[in-house]
Amino acid sequence: MTDDQEAEMADNEETADVEDEAAEAEETTEETEEVAETEETEGGLQDGDFVKLDYTARTVETDRLVDTTDPEVAEEEGIEEEDREFEPRVIVLGEGHMFDEVEDEIRGKEVGDSGTVIIPAVDAFGEYDDEQVRTVSVEKLPEDSRRPGAQVQVDGEQGFVNAVIGGRARVDFNHPLAGDDIEYEYEIVDVVDDRVEKAKGLMEMFFDVDLEMWFETDEVEEEVQVESDDDDEDAEPEFETQTVEKETLYIESDPQLQMNQQWMFGKQQVAQQLMQHLDIDRVIVQETISGGMGGMMGGMGGMMGGMGGGAGGADAADIEEALEEADIDADDIEADLEE
């Protein structure tokens, strides 16, 4: 190889090194920009945040009110309810407590931000389906619901009666808001950090109840599996009783919650959400019964126990002896009862 060829190869290698360094520098710059962009995107509200939200939702085409947290809007629309307070709602961002479009809109925003978002019908309550309007026998409808506009349940499906003709009825099984685009006007009121407020907010969102709640750390005895000294792989696992600490959310129930069907069937799922989002071990819902009925019920219990006979009940001789000691004439009691 000549000297000129060696020099040319050296120049080519140096040029390649410079190009590689430039490419690496460019790649590093792009990675830095991506990290900066990601950090910027992750600012503001993020999934898992407890957000207090004020909103009003209406149908786009007819301006029909769907839902609101604003008491003035509720009053204007005539939907004031005694058992509901119209006030900002607490949601957990990213948990599907609102439509995805609403959550996407407020993700990354700050307290005080507001805006409007449109949810297409297909993503809201579904498109209207003409095939969901069906003819059924009126015998499947309660007598007091055999009229246009009545809400009915037929074979497990909810629907509304469109018309009743002779022995048949036309029932619309579409959701009442099917086919409607929904407009949400919202304002981010606050971010909730206090755990009791978080718990209250979740319960209010699910059931519209304002309950007394508090946290305690309890010592609980439970069976804990321990390592066995037996080398036999088929040996039964060994347990011992240990005292462990359980962080507990206590909820003081009330009649409104106890009679709520959603609570009756969904309490397990709600408790799981509370434990997950509040990082606690268990939820205890307790019921307090008080008032002046205790004495009367106690008296009735004793009387019924005596009348029941058998084990634990007073026989005829015992009753007669008790009446004699109390100087009460059985004939007088019988006469009073006959009157």
Side-chain angles (χ1 to χ4, degrees):
M1 182 180 295
T2 65
D3 293 340
D4 291 340
Q5 289 175 327
E6 290 181 355
E8 184 179 352
M9 289 183 61
D11 290 340
N12 290 338
E13 290 176 359
E14 184 177 350
T15 301
D17 290 341
V18 171
E19 289 177 351
D20 290 342
E21 290 177 1
E24 289 178 4
E26 184 178 354
E27 185 177 344
T28 302
T29 302
E30 290 177 355
E31 290 177 356
T32 303
E33 290 176 351
E34 288 178 2
V35 170
E37 185 178 349
T38 301
E39 289 177 351
E40 183 178 350
T41 303
E42 291 181 352
L45 298 174
Q46 296 300 317
D47 288 348
D49 288 340
F50 280 68
V51 182
K52 187 174 288 188
L53 200 65
D54 211 357
Y55 63 85
T56 294
R58 297 180 182 274
T59 58
V60 172
E61 187 173 343
T62 62
D63 200 39
R64 174 184 174 185
L65 183 66
V66 177
D67 193 13
T68 186
T69 60
D70 190 330
E72 293 183 2
V73 173
E75 184 177 0
E76 290 171 2
E77 296 285 342
I79 60 169
E80 295 177 284
E81 301 176 14
E82 292 183 2
D83 58 348
R84 175 180 175 183
E85 291 187 19
F86 292 90
E87 59 186 5
R89 293 288 183 97
V90 174
I91 68 165
V92 182
L93 191 57
E95 291 297 318
H97 296 158
M98 302 288 285
F99 288 113
D100 290 343
E101 289 79 2
V102 179
E103 292 197 340
D104 291 342
E105 173 73 16
I106 65 178
R107 192 177 284 110
K109 296 290 179 65
E110 305 284 351
V111 172
D113 288 346
S114 60
T116 302
V117 59
I118 304 294
I119 297 96
V122 65
D123 296 323
F125 300 98
E127 297 284 7
Y128 192 85
D129 185 358
D130 291 328
E131 294 184 1
Q132 290 298 314
V133 182
R134 302 194 294 270
T135 300
V136 302
S137 170
V138 294
E139 297 300 324
K140 291 190 173 185
L141 309 182
E143 290 188 10
D144 58 353
S145 297
R146 298 174 183 177
R147 53 182 172 76
Q151 182 176 354
V152 294
Q153 187 173 35
V154 181
D155 298 331
E157 290 185 89
Q158 294 286 342
F160 289 86
V161 178
N162 279 352
V164 178
I165 303 174
R168 297 190 172 277
R170 291 286 287 172
V171 180
D172 188 347
F173 292 100
N174 285 286
H175 189 281
L177 294 171
D180 286 315
D181 296 337
I182 309 296
E183 179 184 80
Y184 266 83
E185 293 183 3
Y186 71 88
E187 179 182 358
I188 301 169
V189 178
D190 200 1
V191 174
V192 179
D193 294 318
D194 182 78
R195 290 204 305 164
V196 172
E197 286 189 40
K198 287 180 178 181
K200 283 177 170 284
L202 279 178
M203 290 296 290
E204 288 174 8
M205 180 190 67
F206 286 125
F207 307 113
D208 279 325
V209 291
D210 183 12
L211 304 173
E212 187 69 25
M213 303 183 192
W214 65 95
F215 290 92
E216 289 185 12
T217 300
D218 302 324
E219 290 189 348
V220 180
E221 289 188 350
E222 65 178 26
E223 294 294 311
V224 178
Q225 185 173 350
V226 294
E227 292 187 7
S228 174
D229 295 331
D230 195 339
D231 295 332
D232 184 3
E233 294 181 356
D234 297 329
E236 293 291 330
E238 295 183 5
F239 295 86
E240 67 178 27
T241 303
Q242 295 182 2
T243 300
V244 297
E245 290 188 343
K246 297 278 188 180
E247 189 169 18
T248 307
L249 170 65
Y250 283 87
I251 301 176
E252 185 70 33
S253 184
D254 68 1
Q256 184 181 349
L257 181 65
Q258 294 157 21
M259 299 301 294
N260 188 302
Q261 288 190 350
Q262 288 180 316
W263 168 250
M264 294 178 187
F265 293 106
K267 63 178 71 176
Q268 183 66 35
Q269 289 80 2
V270 173
Q272 289 293 339
Q273 286 207 32
L274 288 167
M275 289 187 286
Q276 173 190 343
H277 293 303
L278 300 174
D279 192 24
I280 56 178
D281 299 306
R282 60 181 187 166
V283 176
I284 294 180
V285 182
Q286 59 187 30
E287 176 184 355
T288 301
I289 301 176
S290 61
M293 298 293 289
M296 184 180 74
M297 293 301 291
M300 290 178 64
M303 181 177 69
M304 295 302 291
M307 293 177 64
D315 58 22
D318 292 334
I319 295 174
E320 186 174 349
E321 181 180 350
L323 290 174
E324 290 178 357
E325 291 179 356
D327 195 21
I328 298 175
D329 194 306
D331 294 334
D332 292 340
I333 294 179
E334 184 179 355
D336 291 339
L337 291 175
E338 290 176 353
E339 291 178 1

